[in-house]
Amino acid sequence: MVGDLLVKLFTNAGYDVAHVLDGAAALRRIQAAPAHFDVLITDHHMPEMTGLELCEALVGSDFKGRIIVHSSHISDE
């Protein structure tokens, strides 16, 4: 539900938005075209791969965008 809301909000503001339902799909999408993405907004609790695991996988990759991790529950780690 939050993802759908963010897609609508950013699309209405004129941004090109890609939306996937799990961390592994997000990683594949970004790795396929890292320069296409300026910002990643991710939830921490997702199927296949958590948001923090996604961030760790992107560190040192060709993705140079900013990352926003959103969660209703996340540890200090």
Side-chain angles (χ1 to χ4, degrees), residues 18 22 39 42 46 62 73 76:
D22 66 71
V39 178
T42 183
M46 296 183 294
D62 291 335
H73 180 270
D76 290 339

Side-chain angles (χ1 to χ4, degrees), residues 12-47:
N12 288 344
Y15 293 96
D16 180 21
V17 178
H19 180 237
V20 296
L21 298 178
D22 66 71
L27 181 60
R28 287 191 301 273
R29 190 93 178 253
I30 292 169
Q31 286 177 328
H36 179 77
F37 299 95
D38 297 316
V39 178
L40 165 67
I41 300 174
T42 183
D43 189 6
H44 175 59
H45 297 284
M46 296 183 294

